[in-house]
Amino acid sequence: MSDYACTAKDQGARPRLKKWRPREFPCFNNGARPGNEGQMTSAFFPMRRSGKAESAARPAPGPLILMLYGLGFWLALSMAAYWGGEGYYSLWFPPAGLRLAFLWHFGPRATPAIMIVELLVNLGMGRFSLASPDRLIALWGIVRPVLAYGAIVGVIRWLSSGSRAGMMTPPMPFSLAAAAAPVFAALTALPEALWRPDRTQVTTLPDVITSLTAFAVGDLLGVLLIAPPLLWIAGTAGRGRKSLPSRLAPPSIAWTPVMEMAFLLGGAIVVTRLLTHIGLGFQPTPVILAVAWTGLRFGRLAAWISLAAVAWLLLPETADAISTTDRLERHLNLATIMVVGYLAGSYRDAQKQARAALERRDRLLFQAERLKTLRAMSVAVIHEISQPLSTLAIEARHLHAITDRSGQEIRESAALIDRKAAALSHLVRRLRRFGGRVVDEPSPLPVPALVESVVAIAAPEARSQGVALKVGPTDPDLVILGQEVELSQALMNLLRNAIQHSSDRAVELGSERRGGRAEITVLNRYEPEASHGMGMGVGILVAQAIVEAHGGHLTRTKGPDGVMLASIMLPLAGDCA
Amino acid sequence: MTGEPKVYVVDDDRDLGGSVARLLCRQGFAAEPFLDPVMLLNAYVEAPASCIVTDVMMDDLDGFGFADRVRFLDPAVAIVFMTAWPTTANAVDAVRRHGGLDYLEKPIDEARLIAAVTEGVAWSSRRRRQLGRTAALTPREREVFDLLVLGHSNKAIAGILALSPKTVEDHRAAIMAKTGTSGLAQLIALASPG
């Protein structure tokens, strides 16, 4: 922690003359903060545009990525062509999966870029021509689904962020987006289909409904099959640079679940085939049950593998000469299987996450309880010691006084006992001031002292996790009224949270005077994917309770470029009294 | 009250009480330890003291309750508290509400204890002299005295007590004579406990 050491020294020696300033965030502490607190512009927190960690903070997709997207989109469109029918693209539409994966990974603001790329690919493939008289409506037909997807991703991201996050445990938000986006995109096509039926050669209402259902089903299948593995790959590549090889290595396979899955799915498929064979038609129920079971027991990955296997078996059968009605029925059944399987898997993963969060909370509560007991015990011990020590010190002093004229040995012994008893008394009085009294009543507390004592605890923790803890300059005149132990706890909780979720291995701690109050800030960059469920831990709740008990506010703001800013505002000591 | 000033030490820790009492004896006080505040209350009227050093946390009767009761028996006794559980709230209460002279934290700072007891003994004897002088007043004179030290004029006092100004004048002369004072300022000094 050379940064910290340097700060502390500078501050002690000449706090006013030379203020150490974090190198990478030049505006962090100079007081010129943006007016709108909720939005931190990237000008104020310039990101380093190199290294892998930044992809975690959801940057805009670069030209290379967009070119890759175009290539993938073209491939997916070609793949879809086999299942095409009258008046619609396909009954399974992998481009939709690619699109949703991109939008989910890069956020809704990537929508315009994706629109342009899709337009170019369509132009290149000759599916859209600037010369055609219908070019405007064709253009709209290409742009519209992208807009619909972007809107759904935006809405669900909004629903699962901030204070509303409690209801949405990952991976539920993505699963909901995967189910909602295709349906919404199909619905947005309705006005167009009714207004210009000639363009798609579907004229009657039943035909329109068929067409739109096919649209929704195709997108749904495409999304559920393609988007999850893409996102998994993106997440794996973007996460840690420290253990990239180990993350890409195949996870060790537990064979019992695999056997169970294979047995269930195989059995279900055999039963389905048997039912078809004896003339009962295509019955998806056994497969639905099998994938639901798999999803609920083993989670998303297992569910997705089962679904991929089912799709792999079923899709080729529906590509060739088969009536549109039959194909639509098969694909609808497949879509049902996939939605059920994927939601079941997501539900199980969400449950697992929730349980992990609960266990963490329990551990913290247990720890807090133990600390409370420990504190009560230490106060009791101080009390128990102080009582006999009083007697001891008085008698030792007396002994020392009356042995003044005795032999040298006795005199020295008595003096030693007296000295030690006095030292011990002093120690107990000091201990009590620290552990007993300060806990009871608020006292004037300089912010630098608070910051320094918290950093002393947090620095080793940060170091052990490979996170650099940077401390900005502190103003020695910034004095608040509070209980040091509790406020340290609050700040420590925020720091711990920031250290755990820092995506670029750096955490900033700063303090300043702001509008007649003291502000202490903890800043880190986070991974949007990873930080979702961990948002409001018990540590943050405890910090909030402590800060509010001191007449202050705790706010946590997620900036658009992956910056998490936690800010404690506390009244200055003068205002409280 | 002759000889060494009497000091009682009340603590439910026998050793500590004895120790503090011996310490005070060595400093020239006639100190005596008490284990039980109730026992001291029962015996107090027979042998009042100048100063009482008492623990705050005790079993049956805590130091504050004890202080209130002993102050009722003898308004001229100085009280010094000592405690192993110091809090600021208690410290303020000890001095403001229970008339404590000081609030000592265990382990006890000897110098501060001796200073507090010395001050307490001096305060007590001063207070006793004041009370002794006003003790001879009749109930009516006492009423006039109380109003006088509040700053009321003879005329105002006559109005309040429904007496003639002349009678108040007489009472005032009697009060001056009995307390041996020669002016209102001295009277007021007599009434203030500090």
Side-chain angles (χ1 to χ4, degrees), chain A residues 285-425:
Chain A
T285 316
V287 182
I288 290 181
L289 291 179
V291 295
W293 177 270
T294 306
L296 285 176
R297 262 180 67 71
F298 308 118
R300 252 180 329 162
L301 182 61
W304 185 81
I305 291 171
S306 305
L307 298 177
V310 172
W312 186 58
L313 282 176
L314 205 68
L315 279 178
E317 288 179 15
T318 58
D320 307 321
I322 181 169
S323 78
T324 305
T325 319
D326 273 0
R327 186 184 289 160
L328 185 57
E329 190 201 335
R330 297 286 181 95
H331 282 221
L332 255 177
N333 284 332
L334 185 59
T336 312
I337 293 171
M338 297 195 85
V339 170
V340 167
Y342 199 71
L343 282 182
S346 299
Y347 179 73
R348 191 262 185 187
D349 283 0
Q351 286 283 74
K352 205 170 147 191
Q353 279 225 9
R355 206 169 49 230
L358 214 67
E359 274 166 13
R360 206 173 116 258
R361 192 163 305 187
D362 283 351
R363 263 202 316 280
L364 270 168
L365 278 177
F366 175 69
Q367 226 171 26
E369 199 57 37
R370 216 172 44 180
L371 268 180
K372 224 164 81 186
T373 315
L374 207 65
R375 190 194 280 172
M377 257 172 62
S378 60
V379 171
V381 165
I382 287 172
H383 168 70
E384 292 303 328
I385 286 179
S386 71
Q387 198 74 9
L389 191 58
S390 281
T391 315
L392 194 64
I394 291 171
E395 296 302 329
R397 166 74 48 93
H398 179 50
L399 194 65
H400 183 196
I402 59 175
T403 50
D404 207 27
R405 265 169 261 112
S406 311
Q408 192 194 1
E409 210 180 333
I410 297 176
R411 198 171 65 231
E412 281 175 1
S413 287
L416 187 66
I417 292 170
D418 180 26
R419 216 165 47 237
K420 292 294 163 190
L424 204 53
S425 303

Side-chain angles (χ1 to χ4, degrees), chain B residues 130-162:
Chain B
Q130 291 174 355
L131 290 173
R133 288 205 207 151
T134 53
L137 302 180
T138 64
R140 186 53 111 186
E141 283 166 356
R142 180 91 220 170
E143 278 175 351
V144 175
F145 173 77
D146 288 343
L147 288 168
L148 267 175
V149 298
L150 284 178
H152 292 291
S153 67
N154 289 356
K155 212 172 156 192
I157 295 171
I160 294 168
L161 295 179

Side-chain angles (χ1 to χ4, degrees), chain B residues 2-192:
Chain B
T2 53
E4 295 164 341
K6 200 184 253 316
V7 176
Y8 291 139
V9 179
V10 187
D11 197 304
D12 54 359
D13 179 335
R14 185 189 300 274
D15 291 337
L16 181 57
S19 230
V20 171
R22 282 196 299 281
L23 165 71
L24 291 174
C25 286
R26 290 195 293 274
Q27 300 295 324
F29 300 102
E32 201 179 318
F34 274 84
L35 203 57
D36 182 2
V38 181
M39 247 165 66
L40 175 56
L41 280 174
N42 292 338
Y44 188 81
V45 184
E46 306 295 316
S50 301
C51 182
I52 297 177
V53 179
T54 176
D55 192 16
V56 174
M57 304 270 274
M58 289 181 293
D59 283 342
D60 301 332
L61 178 63
D62 79 350
F64 294 147
F66 167 70
D68 291 347
R69 283 169 65 176
V70 87
R71 168 98 44 228
F72 178 75
L73 293 176
D74 178 7
V77 64
I79 296 171
V80 174
F81 293 104
M82 54 184 183
T83 184
W85 297 86
T87 66
T88 307
N90 264 356
V92 171
D93 272 6
V95 174
R96 283 229 178 124
R97 297 188 35 205
H98 306 287
L101 207 66
D102 204 349
Y103 181 79
L104 304 171
E105 185 178 310
K106 290 178 188 171
I108 285 163
D109 183 336
E110 264 180 52
R112 191 165 157 187
L113 171 73
I114 292 161
V117 171
T118 310
E119 191 192 336
V121 167
W123 178 86
S124 176
S125 66
R126 226 172 31 244
R127 185 89 187 113
R128 258 185 229 296
R129 265 203 314 279
Q130 291 174 355
L131 290 173
R133 288 205 207 151
T134 53
L137 302 180
T138 64
R140 186 53 111 186
E141 283 166 356
R142 180 91 220 170
E143 278 175 351
V144 175
F145 173 77
D146 288 343
L147 288 168
L148 267 175
V149 298
L150 284 178
H152 292 291
S153 67
N154 289 356
K155 212 172 156 192
I157 295 171
I160 294 168
L161 295 179
L163 301 169
S164 76
K166 179 78 186 68
T167 318
V168 175
E169 196 79 38
D170 290 345
H171 282 311
R172 186 172 176 164
I175 292 166
M176 294 288 193
K178 281 182 180 170
T179 57
T181 49
S182 58
L184 189 60
Q186 283 187 12
L187 270 186
I188 290 173
L190 205 56
S192 63

Side-chain angles (χ1 to χ4, degrees), chain A residues 88-415:
Chain A
Y88 47 82
Y89 295 138
S90 169
L91 273 175
W92 102 276
F93 196 64
L98 192 65
R99 187 191 296 145
L100 185 72
F102 255 70
L103 280 170
W104 191 259
H105 186 72
F106 292 107
R109 70 201 171 106
T111 310
I114 289 181
M115 273 189 328
I116 290 166
V117 172
E118 289 198 10
L119 207 62
L120 289 175
V121 171
N122 275 305
L123 260 174
M125 290 173 79
R127 295 155 56 100
F128 166 65
S129 154
L130 284 172
S132 104
D134 274 336
R135 59 178 180 277
L136 271 183
I137 204 145
L139 184 74
W140 174 240
I142 291 169
V143 161
R144 190 198 62 238
V146 186
L147 278 177
Y149 274 53
I152 288 286
V153 168
V155 165
I156 293 204
R157 276 219 179 277
W158 177 77
L159 276 177
S160 60
S161 65
S163 57
R164 299 164 295 274
M167 293 180 289
M168 304 267 261
T169 314
M172 282 320 266
F174 171 72
S175 306
L176 286 177
V183 177
F184 182 62
L187 282 178
T188 57
L190 190 60
E192 185 194 337
L194 292 178
W195 181 42
R196 289 293 299 272
D198 55 295
R199 236 192 64 76
T200 45
Q201 292 112 44
V202 282
T203 39
T204 62
L205 192 62
D207 274 357
V208 168
I209 294 174
T210 310
S211 169
L212 290 183
T213 313
F215 186 148
V217 167
D219 273 23
L220 209 53
L221 293 182
V223 163
L224 288 177
L225 270 180
I226 301 294
L230 281 181
L231 281 175
W232 182 74
I233 290 168
T236 310
R239 195 152 299 161
R241 50 190 153 177
K242 60 166 182 177
S243 59
L244 199 61
S246 71
R247 279 178 185 281
L248 284 181
S252 62
I253 295 169
W255 285 106
T256 330
V258 172
M259 299 285 280
E260 188 178 329
M261 262 168 60
F263 176 75
L264 267 172
L265 198 62
I269 289 170
V270 166
V271 170
T272 309
R273 296 262 185 239
L274 199 69
L275 292 176
T276 313
H277 190 67
I278 61 171
L280 289 176
F282 180 75
Q283 298 294 341
T285 316
V287 182
I288 290 181
L289 291 179
V291 295
W293 177 270
T294 306
L296 285 176
R297 262 180 67 71
F298 308 118
R300 252 180 329 162
L301 182 61
W304 185 81
I305 291 171
S306 305
L307 298 177
V310 172
W312 186 58
L313 282 176
L314 205 68
L315 279 178
E317 288 179 15
T318 58
D320 307 321
I322 181 169
S323 78
T324 305
T325 319
D326 273 0
R327 186 184 289 160
L328 185 57
E329 190 201 335
R330 297 286 181 95
H331 282 221
L332 255 177
N333 284 332
L334 185 59
T336 312
I337 293 171
M338 297 195 85
V339 170
V340 167
Y342 199 71
L343 282 182
S346 299
Y347 179 73
R348 191 262 185 187
D349 283 0
Q351 286 283 74
K352 205 170 147 191
Q353 279 225 9
R355 206 169 49 230
L358 214 67
E359 274 166 13
R360 206 173 116 258
R361 192 163 305 187
D362 283 351
R363 263 202 316 280
L364 270 168
L365 278 177
F366 175 69
Q367 226 171 26
E369 199 57 37
R370 216 172 44 180
L371 268 180
K372 224 164 81 186
T373 315
L374 207 65
R375 190 194 280 172
M377 257 172 62
S378 60
V379 171
V381 165
I382 287 172
H383 168 70
E384 292 303 328
I385 286 179
S386 71
Q387 198 74 9
L389 191 58
S390 281
T391 315
L392 194 64
I394 291 171
E395 296 302 329
R397 166 74 48 93
H398 179 50
L399 194 65
H400 183 196
I402 59 175
T403 50
D404 207 27
R405 265 169 261 112
S406 311
Q408 192 194 1
E409 210 180 333
I410 297 176
R411 198 171 65 231
E412 281 175 1
S413 287

